[in-house]
Amino acid sequence: MPATRPEHHFSVHSGGNMKEDFEPEILAFCCKYCAYAAADLAGSMRLSYPPAVKVIQLPCTGRVDMINLLKAFEDGADGVYVAGCLEGECHFIKGNLRAKKRVAAVKDILASIGLEPGRLQMYNLSSAMGPRFTEIAREMTETIRAFGPSPIKGKLNACGRVVDPAVRPETLTT
Amino acid sequence: MVVGGGIAGIQASLDMANSGYLVYLVEEKPAIGGVMAQLDKTFPTNDCAMCVISPKLVEAGRHLNIELLTMTEVSAVSGEAGNFRVDLLRHPRYVDPEKCTSCAECETVCPIERPNAFDQGLRNRKAAYKLYPQGMPPAYAIEKQGTAPCKATCPAHVSVQGYIALINQGKYREAVELFREAHPFPGVCGRVCHHPCESRCTRGDYDEPLAIRELHRFLADWETETGERILPTIAEEKRAEKIAVIGSGPAGLSAAYFLAQKGYQATIFEKLPVAGGMMAVGIPEYRLPRDMLEREIEIIQAMGVEIQTGVTFGKDITFDSLKADGYAAVFMGVGLHAGRKLGIDNEDAAGVLQGVDFLRDTALGKDVPVGDNVLVIGGGNVAVDVALTAKRKGAENVTMVCLEKRGEMPAWEHEIEEALEGDIKIVNSYGPKSFFIDPDTKKFSGIEFKTCTAVFDEQGRFSPAFDENACEAIFGDTVIIAIGQAADTADIEKQNVPITARGGLEADPITLQTPMEWVFAGGDAFYGPKSVVDAVASGKEAAESIHRYINGMDLKDGREKEWHFEKPVITDEPHKKRTPLRCLDPKARECNFLEVSFGYNEDEAKAEADRCLECGICSECYQCVKACLAGAVNHETTPETLSVNVGGIILAPGFEPFDPSAFDAYAYASHPDVVTSIEFERILSASGPFQGHLVRPSDHREPEKIAWIQCVGSRDINRCDHSYCSSVCCMYASKQAIIAKEHSANDLDTAIFYMDMRTFGKEFERYLNRAEHENGVRYIRSRVHTIEHDESGGLLMRYATESGGMLEESFDMVVLSVGLSPSASVSELAGRLGVALNRHRFARTKDLSPVSTSRSGIYACGAFQEPKDIPMSVMEASAAAALATGELASVRNSLARVKQLPPELDVSGDMPRIGVFVCNCGINIGGIADVPAIRDYAATLPYVVHVEDNLFTCSQDTQDKMKEIITEKAINRVVVASCSPRTHEPLFQETIREAGLNPYLFEMANIRDQNTWVHMNDPEAATQKAKSLVRMAIAKAMFIEPLHQVEMAVRNAALVVGGGVAGMEAAIGLAEQGFPVHLVEKEDHLGGAALKLNTTWQGEPVGPYVRNLAEHVKSHPNVHVYTGSHVVESSGAIGHFTTTVLTADDAGRPASRTISHGVTILATGAEEFKPTEYLRGEHPDVLTHLELDGAMRENDPRIDEAASVVFIQCVGSRNEERPYCSKICCTHSLKSALALKESDPDRQVFILYRDMRAYGFREDLYRAARQADVIFIRFTPENPPVAASAEDGKIMVSIRDHVLDVGLEIRADMLVLAAAVAARENRELFEAFKVPVNEDGFLVEAHAKLRPVDFASEGIFLAGLAHYPKPIEETIAQARAAVSRAVTILSKDYILVGGVVAELKDPSRCACCLICVRSCPYGVPYVADGRAHINPAACHGCGVCAAECPAKVITLNHFTDEQIIAKEGALFAGDKAGTSLQCA
């Protein structure tokens, strides 16, 4: 097992100047038709953005459940954003507007448990907006860096629980 | 076959391919997409054009039944409808699209920059380029223009432009390598070449040719300085065969060099004690330093060539001895080392020398005393060398005497100049008569010369004539004869080497094979005295021949290559002077053999290289070949001709934007900030030259004021012959103005200068109103006079207002709204195909057969037919597809390809066994991230049973290997870590399906596009991120399940609602394709609104057409007509609808009838608005358009009697109640006005209008009406005309004239109101089909741009006026389009449903809360039997319901919560993921 766990995973509780050294982990939910295509275009154009951002592709941001957003924070995300088509241009008519509402609702939840609501964002962009994708990734990384590590990180997954294979016990023999 | 890969061509191809036909899609450019792909946004929805088109690109690009033929043009079409033979010319792409991975390495290394035509030249691209990032096929291409003249002219065909381009880049090593691929002597030829290339240099036609020779000399000097020897590539496979080369001159050395490159063992046998032939003993050292020659010979030796000096062929070695020693072939390059004699007495006296001997002896260091006064006989280059050498040997006076006049001398001018610089005296037009011999010493003492009166005879042959009476004596110590060279054949003749009559070696001119088949000959001894580079070429050809001879190949095949070149037209290139060459001062040359020329230093070389005009475009530097690890680049590809047989042809070649360069008044050519609208699209585009930042080209500053000028190249017969309206410019200018404002941080001022605002399409008028009133775009009705540069660097616009006043305003930027032009190449295409064009050079079509060309079986759609917008083009594309396939209905599915697949393995319930394939993508991933580390890391993760990394995972061999591994290791989940799933997921899914796995048992990690391409400068971070992405993919793979699409039978009948033209055309179209059609009409007869029309705008009679159509429909066995009937209920989804119709039974009693059908077409029409204004209803002579048509049809006497007729436009349209344009009324008024004028030219006809919307070619009607003295008076909605009854029963119409600004009163006998087209009240009907209507009551299509006849609910289509007001030709086209769309479903026996769709996994927990029903954008879920139901055939798979379902009963397959959460968890688990999963 490689023991190259990055330093920053241990710096969560260290305080001090941790904000500057801090390399956040950010999850982006991107819709297949616009945001994900924009991310690919940013690559084609060789535009660079911070490696903190990792993308999960979904058919539509309308698929993003509140539970997916909350779970990401529970599992240790420092920031999460949802990126869909421009408003009014959703491939599935209005999935991005649904996502927008859910993002707003989860922001409220974050605020209510004392987490910065800014750790979660909704963005809209078209598939031709590769440069905008990089801007968003930078913007988000900077915002999260300023917030510092998520205080939740490391608390809820103390036992190293990541995915619970017990979900499919019938096939696991270990 | 579809010609043209724009959006129309793509749509036509997809429709036909999806209906069971094989389609060839022919496109001239390297990628499909057309102009739409260049657009930023599309009106009126402001959708991103690329977002909308790219799924279509991928679909067309990957379709099993669409064969993409890019870079291809149609040369000829023979045969007839149903059986055409099409000849195609496929231009070379030089990149194999099957192998290209779009990694851009070729582009990175390419040294040639070209204006990026896709970006309208606003930035550059490389000669190795991809048209645009999303282009299909997703492959690069290389742009060439023949071979560069320099390379074509060079006897050795060195890639001259290539090494010059590399010098420009400072890539000297690569430049030397490139040179050496074609030529072994960059340094020698860099000094002595006679450079025929320079005489063909395009720069030479413009100012002075490039110093090509000096540039490769620079390279050789650079190489010398580095101390390295840069060898050419040598074949890895060594050959056992030995080759003997006789003679170590440039021909022999070259033969050995190229043989060594091919892996052969070559041995050179040289008679002299030194190697190099004439390079060593003929060319004086002051021109070619010996160390340079030795260096280049050493390189040849370093390649494994052995040189034996002092070996004489014929004495020391013979053919027999060579054969005995195992030599497989011999090359003879023995040169011309003997001098020609004058043929006069005493030529063997002391003091008489031969030039070649003199030079050789000098070179070999022998002491050759020449005395003080030397005579040199001859006027060639050797004579100059002899003269200058004699001078350097100490001669005081050297005199060259030759037969020729100064201008006829065979020596090159620069050599003669050098001779004169060297104080050589040249005496012309004398030939030696006799020698003076000193009687005492018997030594030469002088010559008596006779005057040469002519050197050549009338035929130009060498045949000197002399005047024996005019003689002159010149005295000297030595005479050196340099009048020519000959082969010294004494030794070789004994070997029976065939010799020609002229004394040279005999061989085939192409293959260089002598009559002795294993012996080849070349060089001077074969073709006479020539330059080093000719000898190199000869040696190279001989090497090729010997290689072929040894391998038993045809020696001649493909050898007679002609090198064509094309010179580019150079116009605005700045003049650049040739970089002068520094030379040794003439004084300093005396009595030494120091090199005269210094060559270029680096700065000089770069300055000179920068002068290259890049004639061939691609420089053939071959850097891309080296960079492409996929081996996709092949510069040797040649144009290919192919023929295919097709049943029908659809032409969709599109248009080209009008070029306004010739319009001086608009300053387009002279000012960078005057741009065309298409350039502005690229400026706005996020992937454009400025990445979507709105800046002006001149200084990249954000503009504060932008003006648009409309009708540039449209509605203009003064400055161009485009009298038509381009239809789309008013809308795109408004769109650009709005988008520009959105892009601008400041409050951008936008102004549109126009004549008429023609926003006649669906939702266009609202768009215009919003632009003006909400976005603050200024609309200025005017004619622009000129645009000039103003003092502050801006643009001063002078324009005339409607009332004639001249105004001025300055702007930062001006956009010319250019029209749509037919391109010259398209006109030629039409000519080749025998397709008639109209007077505007667009395809000629008729209104009542809108997509049929003049040639049966060939159809036209899109802007090739008339300028039009995207939805119209798409609609016509489908219409053309319906017609083209209609004729081929009987052979449907006969050629369409079907993939045979093995049965699917059942892996449900099995433990995951995951195979992970990590791609290096050449160096795109592996060059940045540590791929082996990623691979090894993947191996540590749970359930992973196989890992590997590949150079290219998408290559065919890897795919095959992947299938084997899947079987071998019983892999049941596959993860590929490579590029983007957007482009490659379908490919890999296909592969695993071929291995028997369900295609959904696949997951991809995007470690290229979203990783190594963005983190190129941080390899460590890229590796870490790739690991995270792979971990996430594996986590999801653990939970993915096979998804099975189930076959659902398609009911092959259609329901058409509405019996007007649209409904009837749809019904007959489907019926003729063989499908049963149920046509429901609420009236008791067929025909609809068209029954009230007289003619189309082009004058085709509508009545007979409608009546024939109705008869045809009624009598067609496949059509069941239900007149006087209504739809009461409809249910079901695509492929299986059930509709109940209230109709009458045979006895006329009301009866209910249930119809089963697979598709539905709604064509319910619209009606004429019944105005109440302008005295209608009060005054009998106030008519609507349709009433006027009726009156004309019925020869109403009021018409004949009317001396004055007034039309009022926009009655009921473009107002608050109906804020849309009814589109057809302006044309209708123009047509009627012309008819009235025609029947009585003295009749006064007035048209009172707001904007004359005579779009497209209808502008011709507008012009004709003005010419016919129809009077046009414009009014504003604030100040409309007023109609009042006059006492005499006439109508008084009052209006304020917009030009004169005075009130007018018109006495009219008849007032015609252009009444709006209003939607029918059909709420219940539309609710039955669950189709949406807009605010105006018209049906809403699935997508305003690309799905103009589809509804969002699959399987339901629309056509005709129910969609939006439109003329009859458009209705017909739309109805046929609906046919095409419907056939894509009806042609299938079953459709596959399921896959990525929502599903109720545990219906018992459903609470019937209706949240899913309300949240679904398509109205798919419904509640019945105590639970929700989701029809997988209707579900679009967005997952909104799954996310909203409070009980979590609904799941979106393949994107389940479990799967998403697994991915999330894996991301944040860091590297612990493996441990945590395993310990659990």
Side-chain angles (χ1 to χ4, degrees), chain B residues 120 122 668 674-684:
Chain B
Q120 299 293 303
L122 290 167
Y668 171 70
V674 179
V675 299
T676 66
S677 42
I678 189 87
E679 287 168 1
F680 197 68
E681 287 288 337
R682 296 313 298 156
I683 291 173
L684 288 177

Side-chain angles (χ1 to χ4, degrees), chain A residues 1-6 9 25-29 32-73 75-80 86 88-96 98-99 102 125-135 153 157-168 170-174, chain B residues 40-41 45-48 50-52 54-55 102-105 123 133-134 685-688 691 693 909-912 924 937 940 943 973 979-982 985 1006 1009-1011 1013-1016 1018 1021-1022 1024-1025 1027-1029 1032 1035 1038-1041 1352 1396 1414-1418 1436-1444 1448 1452 1455-1458 1460-1478 1480:
Chain A
M1 185 57 47
T4 53
R5 190 176 162 86
H9 281 270
E25 283 280 17
I26 298 168
L27 176 61
F29 288 104
K32 178 177 172 179
Y33 289 93
C34 289
Y36 196 87
D40 280 352
L41 181 61
S44 295
M45 296 169 80
R46 305 297 194 275
L47 305 172
S48 103
Y49 53 81
V53 174
K54 320 286 190 301
V55 172
I56 290 184
Q57 189 205 52
L58 294 172
C60 174
T61 50
R63 170 63 191 91
V64 181
D65 199 330
M66 282 166 66
I67 195 130
N68 305 137
L69 302 174
L70 289 168
K71 193 77 182 152
F73 284 108
D75 284 340
D78 298 303
V80 176
L86 293 171
E89 293 186 31
C90 174
H91 187 83
F92 296 100
I93 303 176
K94 52 186 182 182
N96 54 354
R98 294 268 169 189
R102 291 182 211 132
L125 71 170
S126 84
S127 71
M129 293 165 78
R132 175 69 185 136
F133 186 89
T134 64
E135 251 174 53
K153 190 188 306 209
N157 62 350
C159 66
R161 182 179 60 81
V162 180
V163 280
D164 187 351
V167 174
R168 41 180 306 131
E170 77 280 9
T171 56
L172 299 186
T173 53
T174 44
Chain B
D40 175 42
K41 295 283 166 67
T45 52
N46 289 357
D47 272 350
C48 160
M50 188 48 72
C51 296
V52 182
S54 64
S102 263
C103 72
E105 290 299 324
R123 64 172 155 178
Q134 301 87 347
S685 172
S687 51
Q691 302 198 344
H693 297 298
D910 292 358
M911 255 232 306
N924 273 268
Y937 170 69
T940 66
Y943 305 111
R973 305 285 190 282
C979 46
S980 174
R982 250 173 5 95
E985 192 168 39
N1006 185 338
D1009 301 37
Q1010 296 184 10
N1011 185 37
W1013 276 358
V1014 281
H1015 311 307
M1016 298 179 89
D1018 194 347
Q1024 283 306 322
K1025 181 169 164 183
K1027 285 183 182 177
S1028 294
L1029 295 172
M1032 290 162 75
M1038 287 166 52
F1039 292 96
I1040 48 180
E1041 294 289 347
V1396 180
R1414 282 195 286 265
S1415 66
C1416 177
Y1418 304 99
H1436 289 235
C1438 68
V1440 164
C1441 55
E1444 296 275 330
K1448 301 282 131 213
L1452 178 67
F1455 294 93
T1456 66
D1457 277 336
E1458 185 181 57
I1460 296 171
I1461 289 168
K1463 263 195 157 174
E1464 287 178 344
L1467 169 58
F1468 299 115
D1471 287 344
K1472 275 194 324 190
T1475 348
S1476 65
L1477 284 166
Q1478 278 174 335

Side-chain angles (χ1 to χ4, degrees), chain B residues 1297-1375:
Chain B
D1297 184 279
H1298 63 285
V1299 178
L1300 306 172
D1301 198 24
V1302 292
L1304 295 177
E1305 296 224 312
I1306 307 166
R1307 241 172 79 95
D1309 297 309
M1310 188 174 277
L1311 176 60
V1312 183
L1313 305 182
V1317 177
R1320 284 218 170 91
E1321 173 49 57
N1322 268 327
R1323 196 154 42 93
E1324 285 175 18
L1325 178 71
F1326 295 155
E1327 276 177 9
F1329 290 103
K1330 297 186 199 72
V1331 291
V1333 292
N1334 70 5
E1335 291 169 61
D1336 306 319
F1338 294 106
L1339 291 169
V1340 179
E1341 63 274 36
H1343 190 272
K1345 280 289 162 191
L1346 294 193
R1347 297 182 69 195
V1349 296
D1350 295 42
F1351 281 107
S1353 307
E1354 304 272 345
I1356 312 185
F1357 307 96
L1358 76 168
L1361 293 175
H1363 167 247
Y1364 187 67
K1366 53 175 61 91
I1368 192 162
E1369 60 272 20
E1370 208 180 308
T1371 291
I1372 297 171
Q1374 198 177 16

Side-chain angles (χ1 to χ4, degrees), chain B residues 15-73:
Chain B
D15 272 5
M16 295 194 287
N18 287 330
S19 302
Y21 300 91
L22 178 63
V23 180
Y24 296 96
L25 174 52
V26 178
E27 165 61 46
E28 278 186 340
K29 293 203 170 80
I32 57 171
V35 176
M36 185 175 172
Q38 290 178 277
L39 303 182
D40 175 42
K41 295 283 166 67
T42 58
F43 59 77
T45 52
N46 289 357
D47 272 350
C48 160
M50 188 48 72
C51 296
V52 182
I53 196 175
S54 64
K56 293 259 178 195
L57 299 176
V58 176
E59 193 185 350
R62 287 198 47 83
H63 204 292
L64 191 61
N65 283 308
I66 297 178
E67 191 144 317
L68 269 191
L69 298 168
T70 47
M71 305 194 78
T72 302
E73 49 187 295

Side-chain angles (χ1 to χ4, degrees), chain B residues 590-641:
Chain B
E590 283 173 23
C591 299
N592 64 60
F593 282 81
L594 292 174
E595 187 172 15
V596 171
S597 161
F598 289 157
Y600 283 152
N601 62 28
E602 186 169 354
D603 289 342
E604 289 165 333
K606 284 208 151 174
E608 187 61 16
D610 185 51
R611 298 175 67 232
C612 178
L613 295 169
E614 299 171 348
C615 306
I617 301 182
C618 163
S619 68
E620 300 188 339
C621 70
Y622 304 121
Q623 297 303 299
C624 50
V625 179
K626 286 187 196 167
C628 181
L629 297 183
V633 183
N634 178 6
H635 282 269
E636 306 309 316
T637 335
T638 49
E640 192 188 337
T641 53

